[in-house]
Amino acid sequence: MGERALCVVGTGLIGGSLLRAADKAGRTAWGTSASEGTAEQARADGFDVTTDLDAALRRAAQADALVVLATPLPVLPEVLRRVDAVAPTVRLTDAVSVKVAVADDVARYAPRARYVGGHPMAGTAESGWTAASAGLFTGAAWVVMADDGLDLEVWADVAELAWACGSHVVPAAADEHDLAVARISHLPHLLAAVLAAVGAGEPDDDLPLALSAGSFADGTRVAGTRPELVLAMCEGNRDALLAAVDEALGRLGAMRGALASTGGLAATVQAGYLARQRWAATRYPLTQRVSLRPGVLAELRELGRRGEVVVGWND
């Protein structure tokens, strides 16, 4: 286990931050962008970024580097076809916000790649290279897939990349990850969109927006994310997100019924308050060190279910 070189495909907020964080950690790293303008910006900032995806992948194969896919879900099939054509057995991970769909795409379009999925739980409402930051992942959870049959060497590569970027590792099964992020990431984007639209009210009446303060700003922050990025992640996790939306609608319906019949909101407000306290308690998770050995993936999944995190290896 060591300082494996890194090839980042996609240099927006997440990919650009990965390049910056890897460089800060002393890693050899290069990247690719579909935009010549973005590549020029990155090179002007001193980073090795090209628009030649095939050349970057060949370099990754020659260096036995870890390739990180940091592109929106809809373009993954095209990228994975190039992976299979140019670097078919490369070490591969990703930073996409859904995992079952990505694993399915890898199995279909790049089946020989040594793939272990990942998802750094970090971001902002901004996007693009200029929004990237070497500190974006500091203190963040970085989910690393722990489904049976994964390559433990590549699992170690992904975990060590997360640690190099200042994150802690949360192991999870792909389907359990998607159910979780539907509740704590994708549903909040949709609720923020609804809250922003309701708060804005009629086009010719800006009084509500003029009166808005912290609660509206906090509740609608992610509504400022580029719509195509929100659509890609939410529509890519449709089944899990539908279940979360249904639960939210049920709670909203119950709250409306109580407000209309008795004028009372206690149940809704109390449930939300208690849930927020549980969230606050998870900000300081138990930490674990692990040894990668046969059978460890099941143990890692259970560790993740308990909300614990992996911070290093056992001696």
Side-chain angles (χ1 to χ4, degrees):
M1 302 174 190
E3 304 296 311
R4 190 170 300 282
L6 195 68
C7 172
V8 181
V9 180
T11 52
L13 172 66
I14 300 300
S17 295
L18 275 172
L19 276 179
R20 295 175 191 272
D23 178 74
K24 184 178 180 181
R27 296 273 186 117
T28 298
W30 60 93
T32 72
S33 173
S35 163
E36 181 58 46
T38 296
E40 289 178 356
Q41 285 181 317
R43 289 194 293 267
D45 288 338
F47 291 88
D48 186 354
V49 175
T50 178
T51 57
D52 190 337
L53 174 60
D54 284 7
L57 291 172
R58 280 193 293 268
R59 181 179 173 185
Q62 292 165 0
D64 196 21
L66 177 65
V67 175
V68 184
L69 306 178
T71 63
L73 182 63
V75 306
L76 276 187
E78 176 185 349
V79 173
L80 289 168
R81 288 188 183 99
R82 299 317 306 156
V83 170
D84 193 54
V86 176
T89 60
V90 77
R91 298 169 186 261
L92 185 68
T93 187
D94 71 292
V96 181
S97 65
V98 295
K99 295 275 70 77
V100 172
V102 176
D104 289 346
D105 279 351
V106 172
R108 180 175 180 182
Y109 299 109
R112 295 173 287 176
R114 299 170 67 185
Y115 172 69
V116 174
H119 180 200
M121 302 299 299
T124 71
E126 306 301 320
S127 60
W129 172 262
T130 57
S133 166
L136 181 67
F137 310 109
T138 301
W142 193 307
V143 188
V144 182
M145 296 306 99
D147 298 277
D148 289 334
L150 293 178
D151 187 317
L152 291 182
E153 279 191 19
V154 182
W155 203 96
D157 290 336
V158 180
E160 290 185 348
L161 173 61
W163 297 330
C165 293
S167 298
H168 50 261
V169 170
V170 180
D175 57 347
E176 293 178 357
H177 164 276
D178 287 1
L179 288 169
V181 296
R183 290 172 172 269
I184 54 83
S185 177
H186 303 162
L187 180 63
H189 274 86
L190 298 186
L191 293 178
V194 171
L195 178 58
V198 171
E202 297 298 325
D204 59 351
D205 181 8
D206 283 342
L207 178 60
L209 295 178
L211 299 179
S212 65
S215 59
F216 184 79
D218 291 345
T220 62
R221 179 184 63 82
V222 295
T225 306
R226 282 167 45 196
E228 64 270 25
L229 299 179
V230 177
L231 291 173
M233 67 181 178
C234 290
E235 293 175 352
N237 198 24
R238 181 177 61 179
D239 290 343
L241 182 53
L242 280 171
V245 169
D246 285 345
E247 180 175 341
L249 289 174
R251 289 179 177 273
L252 285 170
M255 178 271 291
R256 188 197 184 283
L259 180 63
S261 61
T262 68
L265 295 172
T268 296
V269 173
Q270 184 71 6
Y273 176 81
L274 293 174
R276 176 73 181 192
Q277 303 312 301
R278 284 182 59 198
W279 172 82
T282 68
R283 300 306 87 193
Y284 304 96
L286 292 175
T287 60
Q288 301 286 353
R289 292 180 174 270
V290 300
S291 298
L292 294 184
R293 62 191 187 283
V296 72
L297 290 167
E299 296 177 22
L300 288 169
R301 293 193 297 271
E302 184 56 36
L303 184 154
R305 292 183 193 114
R306 296 196 302 266
E308 299 174 15
V309 301
V310 180
V311 296
W313 308 123
N314 283 324
D315 295 333

